[in-house]
Amino acid sequence: MATKSSMHLSMFPLRFLCFIIITLVSPSSSTLREIKTKENFRFPKDFLFGTASSSYQCEGAYLTDGKALSNWDVFTTIPGKIDDESNGKVAADHYHRYPEDLDLMKDLGVNSYRFSLSWARILPKGRFGNVNMKGIDHYNRMINAVLERGMEPFVTLTHYDVPHELELRYGSWLSPHIREDFVHYAEICFRYFGDRVKFWTTFNQPNVQLILGYRKGMHPPSHCANYFGNCTRGDSYKEPLVAAHNIIRSHLAAVYLYRMKYQEQQRGKIGIVMNSIWYEPVSDSLADRLAAERAQAFYLTWFLDPVVYGRYPKELHDIVGEDLPEFTTDDLKLSKNGLDFIGINQYTGEYAQDCLHSACEPGKGGSKGEGFVNTNALKDGLALGEPTGISWFHVYPQGMEKALMYVSERYKNIPLYITENGFSENGTGISLNDHRRVKFMSNYLDALKRAMRKGADVRGYFTWSLLDSFEWSFGYTLRFGLYHVDFDTLERTPRLSASWYKNFISKNNAQSKDADA
Ligand code: GBH
């Protein structure tokens, strides 16, 4: 009897607790809270809204005013490498038409422009030749024109392109010499432009650059082993590891230089841009969940961990440790928090399936250098998100929120920028009534807001891109522009998404003004 009554008593608080928990998580109350916070949400007043581009994809003017050949100028001449056999010789001719393009941005109401500099325009022969003052003058004019229109320049030092000279001399990213060249280039940029540029990023998604350039041979220098693609040379396993190491060391040295010599006076911030794919475990099994984490280590944290914490991620060590180059004590000194912010390019998600502990069919991602994780957008024949017709691209806005939370948690709430996010379908037919792009942007921005409500310190969003551009190995077959470009006449025509983005930004500005009042 005594036992029974004490049991009864002790169960009371438990029941009470259950009641409270159920009430808290019940759909009606959480929906209410959701609505409330949705209404309350405002982007901060100094939040950067912009569009993003890169030099090779939009500038054209490939030999104008003393620019030398870049790796991409040369690569695009190799038959079979670019879907429509095109190149960036003219592209959208942004080199000459930037004033008009900046006017379009101003009309959208954006307060920033993310663009990259062409290294071969500024240092045609790298550190083995002179600074090309005509290249400097061009970017000076352009930076001034950005500022005159009330926009903040957000500058990437290199978005995939290097002077061809450096490829010829020592194999660019495969050689440790590249660090000296990169730092020299960075210093020229800080010196000439740093009085006005307050946001610098060293690299645009070096993870993608290496995977496509040194594993799959789909970008210059077109190295790969047979299993991965069609190349005349390469080592798809080792070369990406070596090139990544040289890129990380180049980044650290440039950041160190900026901090020691320029930052105090110029008062800018410096970071790096990484591509993020959100990896969902294909099943709930422990093995697949570990595989999803491993996929991040072989993609995203591969670069970010060394830059922030001075070491490669454990999952990378566990698998390729013996082939992983080591950081020197000097590198480690430079790497004390080698970033002021992280830029994330977020487009899509994929399933991750374990191939380390489980038997699994050979597939994309399943090799040792990729961490033994099959990555694929399909599960039982069904796609993880809406297909776009582009094999790598499925619409998965949840990935935006999850990636932001993941990076924010792992790197102690460091400031984040979405440096790219945008939509295209496959083929040149994408119309001016680009409803799907509007829906895409709206859903991804909602996901971004959810991450901010949960505490991610997101400070900007750049949509890719203002204009249709040269889309690397896809040539002109993809169209990411808010503006359609006719590549014969170079005429720009707004799509529906341009008005939508303009309206989105102006509503947001009005809201932040209200909040101030
Ligand atoms: C961005 O990367 C680039 O930064 C930008 O320059 C580009 O214009 C934009 O994509 C749109 O294409 O060749 O099938 O093996 C986004 C992430 C990851 C997308 C690699 C393309 C190549 C897949 N990219 N991916 S594939």
Side-chain angles (χ1 to χ4, degrees), residues 2-74:
T3 341
K4 206 177 167 192
S5 75
S6 68
M7 226 179 86
H8 186 78
L9 273 177
S10 67
M11 288 212 19
F12 174 73
L14 194 70
R15 273 202 208 149
F16 184 61
L17 205 68
C18 288
F19 169 76
I20 292 192
I21 290 172
I22 287 166
T23 318
L24 281 176
V25 301
S26 74
S28 59
S29 76
S30 75
T31 320
L32 269 180
R33 261 182 296 137
E34 175 87 343
I35 291 169
K36 203 160 161 239
T37 37
K38 242 188 195 153
E39 278 172 356
N40 285 345
F41 183 84
R42 267 176 209 104
F43 284 100
K45 227 175 83 197
D46 53 358
F47 192 87
L48 296 184
F49 280 111
T51 64
S53 74
S54 88
S55 54
Y56 189 72
Q57 293 182 269
C58 69
E59 281 183 352
Y62 85 116
L63 287 179
T64 305
D65 292 340
K67 176 181 165 294
L69 294 177
S70 76
N71 56 340
W72 271 92
D73 290 312
V74 175

Side-chain angles (χ1 to χ4, degrees), residues 54 57 114 159-160 204-205 208 212 216 218-219 275 277 299 345 347 391-392 420 464 470-474 478 480:
S54 88
Q57 293 182 269
R114 173 176 179 241
H159 190 125
Y160 296 173
N204 179 68
Q205 50 185 48
V208 173
L212 297 181
K216 299 188 178 171
M218 293 166 66
H219 281 194
N275 188 246
I277 293 175
Y299 199 68
N345 296 346
Y347 290 81
S391 61
W392 60 266
E420 281 179 35
W464 185 275
F470 174 75
E471 285 296 340
W472 310 114
S473 60
F474 299 91
L478 308 182
F480 277 86

Side-chain angles (χ1 to χ4, degrees), residues 36 38 111 153 230 347 484 502 510:
K36 203 160 161 239
K38 242 188 195 153
N111 57 5
N230 180 16
Y347 290 81
H484 171 273
K502 178 177 174 163

Side-chain angles (χ1 to χ4, degrees), residues 235-428:
D235 178 339
S236 295
Y237 170 66
K238 276 207 180 132
E239 287 190 359
L241 297 177
V242 170
H245 199 71
N246 291 327
I247 285 189
I248 294 164
R249 295 185 72 237
S250 300
H251 167 89
L252 291 176
V255 170
Y256 186 74
L257 170 80
Y258 186 64
R259 287 187 171 163
M260 287 298 128
K261 220 167 140 182
Y262 296 95
Q263 193 165 37
E264 199 182 335
Q265 206 196 342
Q266 300 186 341
R267 309 214 151 265
K269 304 270 185 222
I270 188 161
I272 196 169
V273 171
M274 291 298 294
N275 188 246
S276 134
I277 293 175
W278 183 255
Y279 293 107
E280 291 290 357
V282 73
S283 83
D284 222 17
S285 75
L286 178 61
D288 287 334
R289 280 184 282 133
L290 291 173
E293 187 57 37
R294 222 159 49 242
Q296 295 295 354
F298 280 77
Y299 199 68
L300 181 72
T301 62
W302 180 13
F303 290 76
L304 292 179
D305 274 18
V307 169
V308 178
Y309 297 124
R311 50 156 177 71
Y312 285 109
K314 179 175 180 306
E315 291 82 357
L316 199 70
H317 256 291
D318 287 350
I319 292 178
V320 299
E322 61 198 12
D323 299 301
L324 219 42
E326 306 239 333
F327 291 107
T328 65
T329 19
D330 270 356
D331 294 338
L332 296 177
K333 265 189 233 147
L334 307 190
S335 83
K336 274 241 157 75
N337 253 332
L339 284 173
D340 298 323
F341 64 87
I342 296 173
I344 302 283
N345 296 346
Q346 226 299 325
Y347 290 81
T348 195
E350 284 178 347
Y351 289 115
Q353 182 197 14
D354 173 57
C355 299
L356 180 63
H357 309 285
S358 332
C360 100
E361 297 279 314
K364 185 164 105 36
S367 76
K368 178 175 178 184
E370 298 162 291
F372 300 117
V373 190
N374 268 355
T375 50
N376 195 317
L378 296 180
K379 173 183 173 176
D380 303 328
L382 294 181
L384 154 105
E386 240 178 74
T388 59
I390 303 170
S391 61
W392 60 266
F393 195 3
H394 288 74
V395 180
Y396 193 60
Q398 299 91 319
M400 171 69 95
E401 178 184 351
K402 291 182 183 183
L404 284 169
M405 293 320 294
Y406 178 84
V407 174
S408 181
E409 275 156 27
R410 191 173 182 101
Y411 304 107
K412 305 198 179 105
N413 211 20
I414 190 169
L416 302 175
Y417 292 84
I418 290 296
T419 34
E420 281 179 35
N421 169 246
F423 177 83
S424 176
E425 289 170 81
N426 196 15
T428 47

